[in-house]
Amino acid sequence: MYKEKIEAYIDAHRQEMIDDICTLCRINSEKMPYKVGKPFGEGTFTALAKALAMAEDYGFHIKNHDNYVGTVDLNNGSRNLDILAHLDVVPAGEGWTVTEPFSPIEKDGKLYGRGTADDKGPAIAALYGMRAVKELGIPVTKNCRLILGTDEECGSSDIAHYYDEEPEAPMTFSPDGSFPVVNIEKGRLEGHFTRDFEPSELLPKLVSIEGGIKANVVPGKAFATVQGLDLSELCDMAREMEKETGVAYEIKNREDISYITAVGKGAHASTPEEGINALTGLLSLLVKLPFAPCGQIEAVKDLAKLIPHGDTSGEGLGVKMEDELSGRLTLAFSLLQADDSTLEGTFDSRCPICSNEENTLQVIKKNMAQKGFKLLNQSMIPPHHVNGDSAFVKTLLNAYERYTGRKGACQSMGGGTYVHNLKNGVAFGAAMPETDNNMHGADEFAVIDELLVSAKIFAQVIADLCG
């Protein structure tokens, strides 16, 4: 029921929906310093206020939960379905070619800009699904609530604050993944490690390393400063290593100091194989250079053995594993800072159902300790799994099949969403399975037709679950 009406409504509101997405995507809602009344800074505060104002203009009841979360209710009935989306974004980063990060544009059927896919575009698609149900007068007796968060990318403290006040709905989905239905989210180990060593003034020497922007982003650039190396020898080795690693090395020189920039390809840490890790590529070059022996260089060499360039499965750390339901463990080396006396780094591992603290955390801790590194973590986030045969999941799959003509099936993903700790929460949309929308990378985009069909599917699901 209602398919023709829903499709006609969303198609008629295509441009209005795109305009609303662009309005939100023009706001830089990266996490910023705390201000009174603005727990995650000015940008997220502004984005939340704008989104709630939109919803209120469309006749929905809204509530602002201390500028952590905003809620949009379809009606006054008992809550049966929650839709969790977020308005914060990862840092803009570099390498954008189609448009500037916060100047969204429509081009070739795609909407480009930071947040178009993750997660402002899907959030607005959900809002328009609710609008369709409301304005078409589709009879629903139970409430659907759209929950708009502002700290998903940096720990989800916003949603924790919300659930301290509100109970979970019987069913929840987040349009922050891909179709058909993601009922398994891998566990996560954000490994933070250190190593100290005695300073050395011997030349040639490595002065510093700096790479990465966030733990959950494969670094597209990494930087090193070296002193006392022969410039021609350095350039020759860089050209040789470019062929081996796929990383480009840019070198600038001032007197006897050289500045190296490694340029790879950024990606989401849950899919590290889709990027080219500039940080591991930089280490691959550094270990080939004729530095004077010292504790720092030994640490860099040991680190390059534990997380070698191209190893996205944790094999170097001794935790390569996989299972049939959730797939393989992935690992991305995402952050590193090193100077003459200390080294501090972070890796991001997404862990399948077969993973646990004993066979993952403790193994990594032991293997890193044998190389002189201290892994500071005492725990990890366990995997999340919802029964794929439940009536809730089957309803989602039926709507997906009906509006796309594709066969629906449950999927696993490495990325974590808001539903990870919810008893009956899954990720549902808003991209098709084959779409690589550069999430967390440069030139992020959403396919407009996919956002439109998502809004239609969401409207149908609301009608089915709340009617």
Side-chain angles (χ1 to χ4, degrees):
M1 295 176 65
Y2 313 121
K3 183 173 184 289
E4 290 184 2
K5 289 183 177 180
I6 288 171
E7 288 188 320
Y9 178 91
I10 296 299
D11 289 341
H13 289 78
R14 176 190 186 277
Q15 191 58 50
E16 188 179 3
M17 188 171 114
I18 291 173
D19 291 344
D20 282 348
I21 294 170
C22 288
T23 295
L24 290 183
C25 289
R26 291 188 188 99
I27 301 169
N28 179 351
S29 53
E30 300 172 18
K31 189 172 186 177
M32 300 175 188
Y34 168 86
K35 293 184 178 180
V36 176
K38 302 173 182 179
F40 310 113
E42 190 70 41
T44 56
F45 170 84
T46 302
L48 181 61
K50 178 62 70 173
L52 289 177
M54 283 181 189
E56 189 172 38
D57 286 344
Y58 297 140
F60 294 105
H61 175 73
I62 64 169
K63 183 177 179 180
N64 187 323
H65 296 256
D66 305 319
N67 290 315
Y68 282 76
V69 163
T71 54
V72 181
D73 286 317
L74 179 62
N75 57 35
N76 293 321
S78 61
R79 280 167 54 214
N80 203 46
L81 175 67
D82 281 350
I83 304 174
L84 268 63
H86 67 90
L87 302 176
D88 59 308
V89 297
V90 298
E94 299 180 346
W96 291 72
T97 61
V98 178
T99 186
E100 292 300 311
F102 300 106
S103 299
I105 63 167
E106 180 180 348
K107 182 178 180 182
D108 300 327
K110 299 175 182 177
L111 198 59
Y112 287 87
R114 180 61 84 221
T116 52
D118 183 25
D119 191 34
K120 294 174 180 177
I124 293 299
L127 179 62
Y128 273 70
M130 293 174 66
R131 279 192 71 187
V133 171
K134 178 181 176 65
E135 294 179 19
L136 289 172
I138 295 174
V140 288
T141 58
K142 297 180 180 179
N143 185 27
C144 171
R145 173 175 289 178
L146 175 61
I147 302 171
L148 300 170
T150 57
D151 188 40
E152 194 271 349
E153 299 290 2
C154 296
S156 299
S157 61
D158 56 335
I159 213 71
H161 178 86
Y162 171 78
Y163 282 118
D164 282 343
E165 300 176 347
E166 298 282 345
E168 295 179 24
M171 295 168 283
T172 305
F173 76 79
S174 176
D176 193 19
S178 65
F179 290 115
V181 169
V182 178
N183 70 319
I184 297 173
E185 294 185 5
K186 291 180 179 178
R188 187 180 183 195
L189 173 57
E190 186 179 302
H192 184 203
F193 60 90
T194 61
R195 178 165 162 177
D196 298 327
F197 31 80
E198 290 296 324
S200 173
E201 295 300 323
L202 297 176
L203 295 177
K205 71 174 184 176
L206 172 62
V207 178
S208 65
I209 304 173
E210 185 171 348
I213 54 174
K214 279 177 61 69
N216 63 351
V217 178
V218 174
K221 283 190 176 182
F223 310 90
T225 302
V226 300
Q227 184 177 5
L229 284 172
D230 179 81
L231 181 59
S232 61
E233 187 176 0
L234 172 58
C235 291
D236 288 344
M237 182 56 70
R239 283 192 292 270
E240 181 180 328
M241 293 305 297
E242 284 182 353
K243 299 174 185 176
E244 181 177 321
T245 64
V247 172
Y249 303 99
E250 301 171 356
I251 300 172
K252 295 182 179 179
N253 193 70
R254 184 180 301 163
E255 297 179 351
D256 68 335
I257 297 178
S258 297
Y259 304 91
I260 306 169
T261 300
V263 183
K265 178 186 176 184
H268 194 288
S270 66
T271 53
E273 69 282 353
E274 295 178 2
I276 302 175
N277 195 312
L279 184 50
T280 56
L282 178 61
L283 296 184
S284 297
L285 171 62
L286 294 176
V287 299
K288 296 283 188 179
L289 299 174
F291 293 112
C294 66
Q296 176 205 56
I297 295 303
E298 288 304 312
V300 170
K301 290 180 178 178
D302 288 340
L303 188 53
K305 291 175 183 176
L306 288 167
I307 316 178
H309 186 65
D311 178 6
T312 60
S313 63
E315 185 173 9
L317 287 166
V319 291
K320 184 177 181 179
M321 66 181 77
E322 63 180 303
D323 60 52
E324 186 176 353
L325 281 177
S326 54
R328 72 184 184 96
L329 180 145
T330 63
L331 190 141
F333 190 1
S334 47
L335 295 167
L336 180 65
Q337 285 191 323
D339 55 26
D340 65 346
S341 62
T342 188
L343 177 154
E344 182 175 1
T346 301
F347 62 82
D348 186 330
S349 181
R350 308 301 169 104
C351 308
I353 292 174
C354 63
S355 169
N356 54 51
E357 291 189 0
E358 182 178 357
N359 66 14
T360 304
L361 173 63
Q362 296 304 327
V363 170
I364 293 176
K365 187 181 289 281
K366 176 184 175 182
N367 290 337
M368 295 199 81
Q370 289 177 347
K371 292 287 188 181
F373 296 93
K374 182 177 182 180
L375 183 67
L376 303 179
N377 302 69
Q378 301 300 319
S379 63
M380 58 184 283
I381 299 172
H384 171 72
H385 183 199
V386 172
N387 185 358
D389 292 325
S390 67
F392 169 46
V393 171
K394 287 183 176 180
T395 299
L396 301 183
L397 290 174
N398 287 338
Y400 168 78
E401 291 178 346
R402 189 175 178 190
Y403 282 81
T404 65
R406 301 183 181 202
K407 179 63 178 174
C410 290
Q411 308 287 330
S412 166
M413 79 171 180
T417 71
Y418 272 146
V419 302
H420 195 92
N421 296 316
L422 301 184
K423 182 179 179 180
N424 199 24
V426 299
F428 184 53
M432 292 300 151
E434 71 278 4
T435 300
D436 177 8
N437 49 31
N438 298 334
M439 190 180 293
H440 288 202
D443 292 334
E444 176 186 342
F445 69 87
V447 178
I448 292 173
D449 284 347
E450 293 181 7
L451 291 175
L452 293 171
V453 76
S454 295
K456 297 169 185 177
I457 292 170
F458 298 159
Q460 186 66 56
V461 165
I462 295 166
D464 292 341
L465 294 177
C466 297

